[in-house]
Amino acid sequence: MTQPFSGAADGTSVTHAVVVHVVVTDEPPVPLPAELRYDRTDPYAVCLSLGGTPTGTVDWVFARSLLSEGLNRPVGVGDVLVIPPHHCHRHSVRIVVRSAAGAALLDIAASAVTAFLAQSAIVVPPGTEGVHIDLDRVVAELMAGSE
């Protein structure tokens, strides 16, 4: 189940509510509310926010290109892996997230991921991300830490 997109009034971000299914060995998948988010101020990244409960959320930030490429072939190394739909899970993109606390296997409807990426491409077309980086802000943030 997904909900409609929402975004900033100025067209600089996209938020898409989705249901992520957490795959647990020898158990039925557990549905969990989540959001996919994209913002022009961080043009190379997407955020997968898990939870949305009173106890809080867990955010995973990774490359938009990783999510996009993961629709067609397995990609990623380290903390985030994206696996495209295949015969075992025909209609979902599988995302593996890892941390020091452990790992989780998440399934998200491939149609929701595709729609989210299409909306993010309207905000910032792939290949033009560098045009949207505020270098003055980045330098100011880097310099603020050196004082």
Side-chain angles (χ1 to χ4, degrees):
M1 176 175 101
T2 62
Q3 294 180 3
F5 291 103
S6 64
D10 60 0
T12 63
S13 66
V14 176
T15 300
H16 193 76
V18 296
V19 174
V20 170
H21 291 89
V22 181
V23 179
V24 180
T25 305
D26 298 328
E27 298 289 333
V30 178
L32 185 67
E35 283 184 345
L36 285 167
R37 294 192 305 263
Y38 181 79
D39 194 283
R40 183 183 294 168
T41 61
D42 194 0
Y44 288 102
V46 295
C47 178
L48 173 60
S49 186
L50 304 172
T53 65
T55 59
T57 61
V58 176
D59 291 343
W60 289 88
V61 178
F62 52 96
R64 175 172 67 164
S65 61
L66 185 74
L67 188 59
S68 179
E69 290 175 33
L71 287 171
N72 300 307
R73 64 182 178 90
V75 293
V77 179
D79 293 345
V80 179
L81 308 170
V82 182
I83 304 162
H86 64 76
H87 67 280
C88 292
H89 53 95
R90 296 180 197 273
H91 303 290
S92 61
V93 173
R94 187 158 274 187
I95 299 176
V96 179
V97 291
R98 299 183 225 191
S99 73
L105 184 59
L106 313 169
D107 284 340
I108 302 176
S111 59
V113 172
T114 300
F116 168 76
L117 288 169
Q119 290 294 313
S120 76
I122 292 169
V123 174
V124 175
T128 68
E129 292 89 352
V131 174
H132 300 279
I133 294 178
D134 182 353
L135 290 178
D136 291 335
R137 181 185 55 82
V138 172
V139 170
E141 288 175 3
L142 289 172
M143 297 304 290
S146 66
E147 295 175 356

